[in-house]
Amino acid sequence: MRSYQPDLTPPWKRSAPVPEVPAEPDLVVEEVGSGFCGAVVRCEKTAQGPTVTLEDRFGKHRVFPMEPRGFLLEGKVVTLVRPSAGGPVRPVRTASGSLAVPGARARVARAGRIYVEGRHDAELVERVWGDDLRIEGVVVEYLEGVDDLPAIVGEFAPGPDARLGVLVDHLVPGSKESRIAAEVTGDHVLVVGHPYIDVWEAVKPSSVGIDAWPVVPKGQDWKTGVCRALGWPENTGAAWQHILSKVRSYKDLEPQLLGRVEELIDFVTVPD
C-alpha cells in the first residue's frame, strides 16, 4: 500500500485555484502568453490535447492549447474547458464585437456628440455600433459634408463635459478634408477619418459579393460610377440599401473604419 505523502509546499508558494470557464462560442478572452484577444470560434480535440480557436476583431484566427490558467476573462485568469453539451449559453456579442448586456437600458444622452459626414455613414455606424452607443448615451448626427464644419463646431461649443468627435471621409494628407480637420481639432474636438472616397468602400467587397470596389474615373460621380461598373441599376439609394443589408457585424467592415469609430466613442465617453 502506498503511504500518504502530504503536500509540504508553503501556502504562500501554492498556486491559487482559478475558475474553470466553458469555452462557449463568442466568449471573448485574452491568451496570457501572446496577449491575443478574440472570441471563441470552436474547440477541438487534438493528439496534443484540446485546443480553442479565437477570432480577433479583424477576422484573424489563432489556435491555442487549453492549458490551465492560460487565459484572461475580463482581466482575471481562468482555465478554459470544453463546453458541455446542452450547457448554458453565454451572452453573445453585439455587432461591434462587444459583449451584449441583456436587458440593458439606453443611457440618457450625453452632451458630447459624434458627427459623421452623411446619412449613409450614420446608418452604417448605427448598424454596427448602435447597441454600444445607446448604452453609452452617445448620439450620432450627420453633417451632409464637411465644408461648414468650422462653423458647426463653433456653434456646438465643445468643452470638457461636451466633447465632439467627427468622422470624415477621404481624410488623407493634402486633401480639403485634412485642412478643415486641422482648423477645428483641439482638446475637446477629435477629427479622425478613413482613406475611402465614400463610406461604401469601408464595407469589405467580399461581404457585398464582389471582388473589389471599382475604380471610378475622375470627373464622374463615384457612387453612380460604382453602380455602372458593377452592372447595378443607377439608383444609389437602392444600391446603398443593398450594401447595408450585407453588413451584419464588424467583420464586414475594413479595419481602417473600425478603429476610427471606436476611437471616437472612447474620446466622447472617457473623462480626461
Side-chain angles (χ1 to χ4, degrees):
M1 178 180 297
R2 183 179 300 175
S3 61
Y4 170 69
Q5 297 293 329
D7 184 359
L8 301 180
T9 305
W12 59 87
K13 290 188 177 181
R14 296 176 189 169
S15 297
V18 300
E20 292 187 346
V21 177
E24 301 283 357
D26 289 324
L27 177 70
V28 178
V29 295
E30 178 182 338
E31 200 274 329
V32 171
S34 65
F36 185 89
C37 183
V40 173
V41 175
R42 60 182 173 273
C43 298
E44 296 177 300
K45 290 182 179 180
T46 72
Q48 291 74 35
T51 64
V52 60
T53 300
L54 302 182
E55 179 184 58
D56 71 8
R57 65 184 314 101
F58 303 117
K60 181 179 180 181
H61 286 201
R62 287 189 62 178
V63 180
F64 298 100
M66 296 171 68
E67 296 180 344
R69 307 173 66 90
F71 299 87
L72 297 176
L73 174 62
E74 297 178 350
K76 297 181 179 179
V77 177
V78 299
T79 297
L80 288 187
V81 296
R82 290 175 59 85
S84 58
V89 178
R90 294 186 60 88
V92 298
R93 292 180 291 169
T94 66
S96 72
S98 303
L99 282 179
V101 183
R105 294 183 177 181
R107 176 174 175 163
V108 175
R110 297 172 181 266
R113 291 285 187 275
I114 292 177
Y115 286 168
V116 297
E117 279 206 50
R119 182 185 296 274
H120 293 180
D121 306 69
E123 290 175 342
L124 187 60
V125 169
E126 164 62 27
R127 183 85 167 195
V128 176
W129 288 273
D131 290 338
D132 307 72
L133 293 167
R134 279 182 282 279
I135 289 176
E136 295 290 350
V138 178
V139 174
V140 175
E141 301 181 14
Y142 64 92
L143 302 169
E144 293 290 7
V146 297
D147 290 347
D148 297 327
L149 185 58
I152 292 171
V153 172
E155 183 179 353
F156 184 86
D161 297 322
R163 289 181 166 189
L164 181 60
V166 183
L167 179 69
V168 177
D169 296 341
H170 199 231
L171 189 62
V172 295
S175 66
K176 173 190 71 175
E177 291 82 1
S178 67
R179 292 191 294 273
I180 293 174
E183 289 183 38
V184 301
T185 298
D187 292 340
H188 309 302
V189 181
L190 176 64
V191 181
V192 300
H194 56 74
Y196 307 113
I197 295 173
D198 189 274
V199 77
W200 289 20
E201 281 192 292
V203 180
K204 290 180 178 177
S206 58
S207 297
V208 185
I210 59 178
D211 293 332
W213 288 105
V215 176
V216 177
K218 290 184 179 180
Q220 291 188 25
D221 177 73
W222 189 84
K223 293 176 182 177
T224 302
V226 166
C227 293
R228 188 175 299 140
L230 294 176
W232 295 351
E234 293 182 21
N235 181 333
T236 58
W240 169 244
Q241 291 306 314
H242 169 70
I243 296 166
L244 186 62
S245 71
K246 303 300 182 182
V247 177
R248 296 175 177 82
S249 76
Y250 70 96
K251 299 176 185 178
D252 297 307
L253 302 182
E254 298 288 0
Q256 291 89 335
L257 177 67
L258 291 172
R260 302 295 75 73
V261 174
E262 296 193 356
E263 188 177 354
L264 291 177
I265 295 174
D266 288 344
F267 180 77
V268 301
T269 58
V270 177
D272 286 331

